[in-house]
Amino acid sequence: MINNKHLFYLIIFTQFGVAITSFPNNMYKVAGHDGWISTLVGGMIVQILILLYYSLYKKFPDKSFTDYTKIITNPFIGTCINICYYAYFLYVVLVVSMRFSDIITIWIFPKSPSWLILILFLLTAYIVAKNDILTIARTYVLCTFIFLIFILFLLSAYDNVHIGRILPIGQYPIKKIGSGAYSSFLEMLGFEIFLFIAPNFQDTKKKLFTLTFANFFTTIFYTFIIITSYIRLSNKENSYIIDPILYIFKTYHSKMIESLDTIFLSLWTIVICATVVSYIYIVSEDVHKRLSLIVKNRKSILLFIIIVVFAFYPLVSFHLIRRETIVNFGSYLDPLFIIIIPCLLFLINKVRGLIN
Amino acid sequence: MEVNEKTSMLEEVQNEFHSSSDFKYKKYSIGEVTLHLCYLDTMIDSEVIQTHILERLVSKDHSGRIITTILDSDDAYTLDECIQAILSGNVIVFNDNNKNKAKSYSAPSNNSDRSITESSTETVSLGPHDSFVESLKINSTLIRKRLRTKELIIKNITVGKKYPISLSIIYLNDITPQSMIKTIEQKIKKLELSGQVEPKKMIEAVHIQNSIEEYPTSIFPQVMYTERPDRTIRHLITGKPAIIIDNDPNALLFPYDIYGYFRSTEDFNFRWLFGVFFYSLRIFAFWIAVLIPSIYIAVTTYHSNILPVSIFYTLKLSIENVPLPPLIEALTMIIILELLKEAPLRLPNPIGSTIGTVGAIVIGTAIVQTNLISNSMVVVIAVTAIASFSLPSREMSIAARIMGIPLLILASIFGFIGISLGVFMIFAHLSKIKAFSFRYVENPGFSEFVLFKNRKGKSS
């Protein structure tokens, strides 16, 4: 049973992930130096979705999302939707792990075999995810120090900033800022796990407040990152450098320590792993609930998931499937699973309520 | 055992013990009354028999019973009861009229008790210096003396069929949940029935620790062994029980959290700021002991780019001429360190101090001069050792050093990534451990230091 504090940490650790290093660059491509406005707007989109999710949750408290797909539609369609969701989550895990092994190869271990690191990464995720949800949440609470270190590192970039680089504010057209908001919203995914872990909630009040606060934290943090990147690096640098955050950290010099990027990435590995843990926990737990008669042990499902994810690695590394294909696939899947299906379910439920 | 019809219980008792030389049988007749005394004279204070049993007898009326005595007395009807009573230091008295019914008077000898001395494993500079001894009774006294409340319950139970041992569960009745006491008692009782310990071994503290812990396979200790009564009291007043075993100078404090292992009782006797400082220092020392060797390995093997040039050269100079890979170097040093720690313990004191010389000068200096181990590695392992020894609990200090080894291996293969993922796994493991409703890692408990409590206005 998890309380509000645990819910908060579960959500922020799932929201922050591997995308953070390249986030300012992605935003710069879309919305120029007004990307930070887009981030704030993106946070508002997330907030609207959270309200929607919350009203869904209020309709069916103590039930998981996979339960009420069946109730709202019918068991068959519901099962289909659920299977799609499982596949989608596995896809997210796959993308995150691929991106993780890429970043590690580029920034830390250019010559090491990345499959070995991926094995350790997935194994850790397995070991953590085989615990119950409360243990996972408590583990995240213990890992909060990473965010403090991250903020500290970001502050170190402020010795050479030029605020004029984000001026004038609002130079880009609203359309661009809007599409930037959409892409920043895609980076903030992870709050949807709220619907799936709902059966584990303690009966506490102020859930919506917790969710809002988590979203607020994430939005502010992303904005902070993006502003730091924009005022630290010149506009040209911002448009070319793929991982600006790591680049900023790499340029740090002092008498004690240099290239903070290595330290940051190593610590951030925990947060990336936490994202994977959240998703594979949800999938394994839910599948286990449905198939408890066939599969006695949740660990075997977890192991299966890990192996499936890892099985994609050779396919990608031997270019049988192009990496871009996999990643681009996400631009169709994300809106479908995060926005459209929950919205449809919500509408169907509303209409049904009106008819009855 | 059934008492034979023909022989009396007195004769049976004599039969059972007849080959032990310390078994004594005395017969006293005063007037019409004849009393038979049976006891083991190694377990009995003969003066007590003289003053409390025999002298009472002389001044008795003619009913043939000892009227008033301060000694614990009990009726014994069966042979088993008699034997148990004799073995635990009682005197069995038979009356001539009825040799099948006995009265047992406890008159245990105090000669074998160690006097209360200062604890050698948990010394403090500020605060009480007494520590537990081997006698359960004295230990209970030490606790009872401090906690003058009627809520303090000292519950004696005996476990073990073949080799019974007595132990006490001590708790405060008003704040400790009864279900917790019951569960612990059941678990200890189960030890007797399970057959894992007896008859080949005797039940000892470690078996009890194993049976009450929820995760006995974990590397982290969950039962605190302490010799200090004040630490025990501090534990009791938080509503958790303590177990004291007879003939063992350690109290077992059970639902214990990890932060307790970093807290010395001294911390609470200092001014609050000093207490907080030393407490935080020890938490930091724990992580140093766990992480420093693996961080060093990771930096020298993979991540030398995080060092500025000046530090890098210093480091490089020291490791340049060493032919061994850093992992082997580290493992060698860890083994040498453990040996250096272990050897003086086994030697008598005057010789033991030479080990320090051998360790510091001969091994420490020579190993560097021969380029077997690098200078910096010696420094790193020494810092690890110092950090781990600064923890108040011996078990936690061992746990910290042992936990460093898998991290060391991870670091030598995966660098920093291995360390951070390893730490993530350790965190997950730590958050899993719990006992009853108490989590192993819950809050660091800074509020226990006096000042914080007053500020918040919480009075207890």
Side-chain angles (χ1 to χ4, degrees), chain A residues 121-137:
Chain A
F121 179 75
L122 292 175
L123 205 66
T124 311
Y126 164 73
I127 287 173
V128 178
K130 74 181 183 190
N131 298 311
D132 56 323
I133 186 79
L134 182 58
T135 304
I136 293 173

Side-chain angles (χ1 to χ4, degrees), chain A residues 104 108-109 116 120 124 127 131 134-135 138-139 143 145 254-259 262 266 269-270, chain B residues 302-303 305-308 311 410 414-418 420-421 424-425 427-428 431-432 439 441-442:
Chain A
I104 296 298
I108 303 188
F109 293 121
L116 197 62
L120 177 73
T124 311
I127 287 173
N131 298 311
L134 182 58
T135 304
R138 291 165 49 83
T139 311
C143 295
F145 72 96
S254 80
K255 291 219 163 136
M256 285 285 291
I257 207 157
E258 281 188 359
S259 5
T262 313
S266 318
T269 304
I270 292 181
Chain B
Y302 298 105
H303 304 296
N305 65 325
I306 69 160
L307 298 175
I311 298 183
L410 274 181
F414 297 102
F416 279 164
I417 305 281
S420 59
L421 287 178
F424 192 40
M425 284 189 253
F427 278 167
S431 353
K432 186 174 71 177
R439 286 282 175 172
V441 180
E442 188 69 76

Side-chain angles (χ1 to χ4, degrees), chain A residues 34-75:
Chain A
D34 283 331
W36 61 277
I37 305 176
S38 304
T39 316
L40 290 177
V41 179
M44 283 158 80
I45 301 179
V46 173
Q47 188 57 37
I48 293 166
L49 276 174
I50 283 177
L51 289 175
L52 178 86
Y53 286 6
Y54 187 74
S55 53
L56 257 181
Y57 159 74
K58 270 281 146 187
K59 288 262 162 35
F60 308 97
D62 348 308
K63 281 212 170 62
S64 160
F65 184 76
T66 46
D67 289 324
Y68 40 83
T69 46
K70 287 183 178 174
I71 299 171
I72 293 175
T73 59
N74 65 40

